[in-house]
């Protein structure tokens, strides 16, 4: 596998830096009209009147669509009838109800964007507003079990409870006990490219949509179902995506609304959400409260863990944050109880955000373990090694591969962990307090069915196609490498195309599954094409001569091309092995004791994730994850007005994300890992694991620096003073 691994530059890099890569809103479409959404200013109630006259008479306006004149749609799924994890309950102007702040309540279409935006401001709305309940930590609404399971497509849905052993008895008998509550606020996805859609009708029954989406097929299915069209009448194209992180994992209301608007005005319609509109109608990480109870012996060996908590959901839809998933898998512990509950609030429906469940649960568990280490005066890394899970503690299955020990060692060495002085406030740099913290990182190795077609041409080049997405992760590049490797061609001779429902079906790019799933299909399709050719060469004989260049073989047979398709399924080994990627993350902070200001001054992460397809793009994913983890620890917080239910910091000046000065030198280290069971190409995804341990590692470092344990993210100045 020579083409696999090296830090090949992005094959689409030149197009991206020269503006040649066309993102959804940039696709040239003749006669395109521009749409702007009008969003509700209340968070719960009813629309009692809408004055659209001024907007309709404004220059260039083609239509103002509200619940009064919107296309009447077939019955839509409800919380109880939704078909999949991505099958969100949408707000498509079918009634006068307002269920959350910034719900779409009208769409204005004009001949230019500026005119549409102007007219959108002229729509006057009267409401009957009802009291709201938007704060998980203050609500009196009882937590409840999530609605009956639905079948996952974006991320696998998991059981919301698990029991092993006898936790109550083990806790009662334990020599030491930690019991704490950890909270995480709503965080809002802000990919550089906001959601964007262009809808083009071809007659009344056929629709093409250019969309910024993590899943063209899920998009196609949901658009067809919501508009009442056969699935094959809808084509979704998504060639370049400026980040998704979960918010683009499934269709939100604006996508069918763009199609409805295009039908109304009889022209293609482009709809781009503004930055403020990213806060509200397109998902967010839920608000989460978790309680972790740990019982252990004086030697630090875990006797029992209880991990329970609740996350916020909307009043009308379903989402459950699986924050106990990492706790079920991380440590050897004979007694374990986990429970996930949800609380309905007057908010928009939350959804997956980078490493859903894994990062939120890891924050709680890895903070609590640090508290246990402090209590026992055992080094936090040593504590983790004493509880190392040699097999999957939940199922007892062997790991398909696990190199966490090597990750701990590699990262600790690079970081210089052995030089840590254990006492809080014992390390200083001038007047600044220095703190060191660490945490374990993990993410499941997801693989989902995917298909690909490989075509070899007589000129010695190859074209490989799969419908999948490149959400900024490098799919174009790594698939080109996988194909080049399987075909024995230089990377320059291979072209990989994606992002189109006319191509072979692939999963939504969520759950870090794309490299492993689509990569397996691409690899096998390419091998299939070579085999087909070889069989030709021998008149169907059994001794394929793979050494002859395929261009020559095709020429010899007077053929212009040869093609093979492969439909990759999950390997049967998935039932015999537990499959996860692991890592270790170490963080150094400097805290100003007078101001409470926290700066991360160093971070090291070591990861083992099977075969690394491209050292450069993989590093970029892990680095991005670690940066976001710092952001989660120190910055991000979606603030709701408790009375009005409005999100108050809906832009990037008030919703804080790190800038370059907030991010120190970060070391990303790979621990080599060979996994023969996980899939055909031995790959575990790296899109999400990088964020998972970081928030806990930062919080643990802050404790070490200051002696203050902050269990409520983000760790802001006020909490340290
Ligand atoms: Mo990722 S949050 O599974 O799109």
């Amino acid at each position: 596998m020579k083409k696999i691994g090296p830090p090949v530059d992005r094959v689409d890099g030149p197009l991206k830096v020269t503006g040649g890569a066309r993102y959804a809103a940039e696709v040239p479409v003749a006669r395109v009209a521009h749409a702007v959404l009008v969003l509700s200013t209340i968070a719960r109630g009813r629309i009692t009147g809408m004055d659209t006259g001024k907007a309709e008479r404004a220059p260039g306006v083609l239509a103002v669509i509200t619940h009064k004149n919107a296309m009447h749609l077939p019955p839509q799924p409800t919380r109880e009838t939704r078909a999949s994890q991505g099958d969100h309950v949408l707000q498509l102007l079918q009634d006068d109800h307002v269920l959350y702040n910034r719900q779409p309540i009208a769409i204005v279409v004009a001949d230019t964007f500026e005119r549409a935006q102007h007219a959108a401001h002229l729509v006057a709305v009267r409401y009957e507003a009802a009291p709201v309940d938007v704060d998980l930590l203050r609500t009196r609404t009882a937590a409840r079990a999530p609605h009956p399971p639905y079948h996952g497509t974006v991320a696998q849905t998991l059981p919301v409870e698990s029991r092993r052993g006898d936790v109550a008895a083990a806790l009662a008998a334990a020599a030491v006990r930690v019991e704490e509550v950890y909270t995480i606020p709503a965080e809002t996805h802000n990919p550089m490219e906001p959601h964007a859609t262009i809808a083009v009708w071809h007659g009344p029954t056929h629709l093409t949509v250019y969309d910024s989406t993590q899943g063209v097929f899920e998009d196609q299915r949901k658009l067809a179902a919501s508009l009442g069209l056969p699935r094959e009448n809808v084509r979704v194209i998504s060639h370049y995506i400026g980040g998704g992180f979960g918010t683009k994992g499934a269709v939100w209301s604006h996508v069918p609304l763009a199609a409805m608007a295009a039908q109304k005005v009889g022209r293609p319609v482009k709809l781009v959400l503004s930055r403020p509109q990213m806060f509200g109608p397109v998902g967010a990480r839920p608000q989460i409260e978790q309680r972790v109870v740990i019982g252990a012996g004086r030697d630090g060996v875990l006797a029992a863990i209880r991990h329970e908590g609740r996350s916020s959901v909307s009043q009308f839809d379903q989402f459950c944050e699986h924050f106990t998933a990492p706790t079920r898998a991380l440590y050897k512990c004979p007694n374990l109880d986990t429970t996930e509950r949800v609380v309905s609030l007057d908010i928009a429906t939350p959804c997956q955000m980078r490493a859903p469940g894994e990062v939120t649960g890891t924050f709680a568990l890895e903070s609590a373990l640090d508290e246990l280490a402090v209590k026992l005066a055992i080094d936090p890394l040593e504590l983790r090694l004493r509880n190392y899970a040699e097999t999957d503690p939940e199922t007892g299955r062997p790991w398909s591969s696990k190199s966490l020990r090597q990750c701990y060692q590699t990262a600790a060495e690079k970081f210089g962990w052995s030089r840590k002085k254990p006492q809080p406030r014992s390390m200083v740099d001038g007047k600044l307090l220095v703190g060191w913290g660490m945490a374990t990182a993990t993410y499941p190795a997801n693989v989902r069915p995917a298909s690909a077609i490989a075509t070899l041409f007589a000129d010695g080049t190859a074209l490989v196609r799969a419908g999948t997405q490149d959400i900024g992760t490098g799919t174009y590049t790594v698939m080109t490498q996988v194909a080049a490797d399987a075909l024995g061609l230089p990377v320059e001779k291979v072209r990989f195309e994606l992002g189109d429902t006319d191509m072979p079906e692939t999963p939504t790019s969520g759950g870090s599954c794309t490299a492993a799933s689509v990569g397996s299909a691409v690899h096998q399709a390419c091998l299939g094409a070579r085999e087909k050719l070889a069989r030709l060469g021998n008149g169907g004989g059994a001794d394929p001569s793979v050494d002859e260049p395929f261009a020559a073989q095709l020429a010899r047979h007077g053929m212009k091309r040869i093609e093979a398709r492969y439909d990759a399924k999950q390997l049967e080994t998935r039932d015999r092995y537990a499959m996860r990627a692991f890592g270790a993350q170490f963080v150094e902070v400097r805290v100003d004791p007078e101001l409470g200001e926290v700066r991360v001054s160093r971070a090291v992460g070591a990861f083992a994730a099977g075969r690394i397809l491209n050292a450069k793009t993989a590093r970029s994913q892990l680095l991005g994850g670690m940066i976001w983890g710092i952001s989660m620890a120190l910055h991000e917080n979606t603030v709701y007005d408790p009375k009005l239910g409005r999100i108050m910091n809906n832009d990037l000046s008030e919703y804080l994300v790190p800038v370059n000065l907030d991010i120190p030198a970060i070391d990303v280290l790979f621990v080599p890992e060979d996994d023969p069971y996980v899939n055909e190409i031995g790959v575990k995804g790296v899109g999400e694991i990088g964020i998972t341990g970081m928030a806990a590692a930062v919080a643990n470092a802050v404790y070490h620096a200051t002696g203050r344990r902050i269990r409520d993210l983000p760790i802001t100045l006020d909490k340290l003073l």
Side-chain angles (χ1 to χ4, degrees), residues 63-74:
V64 178
I65 307 165
T66 70
H67 66 278
K68 296 230 157 112
N69 62 347
M71 175 202 283
H72 193 70
L73 298 174

Side-chain angles (χ1 to χ4, degrees), residues 154-155 189 214 244-249 351-356 443 448 471 508-512 688:
V154 171
H189 315 75
Q214 292 172 236
F245 310 115
T247 179
K248 295 173 184 169
C351 71
Q352 290 80 8
M353 183 192 269
R354 203 172 197 169
Y443 197 82
R448 306 204 177 103
I471 59 177
T508 294
S509 290
S512 298
E688 292 168 271

Side-chain angles (χ1 to χ4, degrees), residues 92-130:
L92 301 177
L93 308 179
Q94 301 296 293
D95 58 45
D96 59 2
H97 300 299
V98 175
L99 303 166
Y100 56 93
N101 180 223
R102 285 197 198 92
Q103 172 187 316
I105 55 169
I107 180 165
V108 177
V109 191
D111 55 358
T112 71
F113 168 70
E114 290 76 11
R115 285 169 150 182
Q117 196 177 35
H118 173 66
H121 286 126
L122 300 176
V123 176
V125 187
R126 285 183 305 281
Y127 301 97
E128 191 179 277

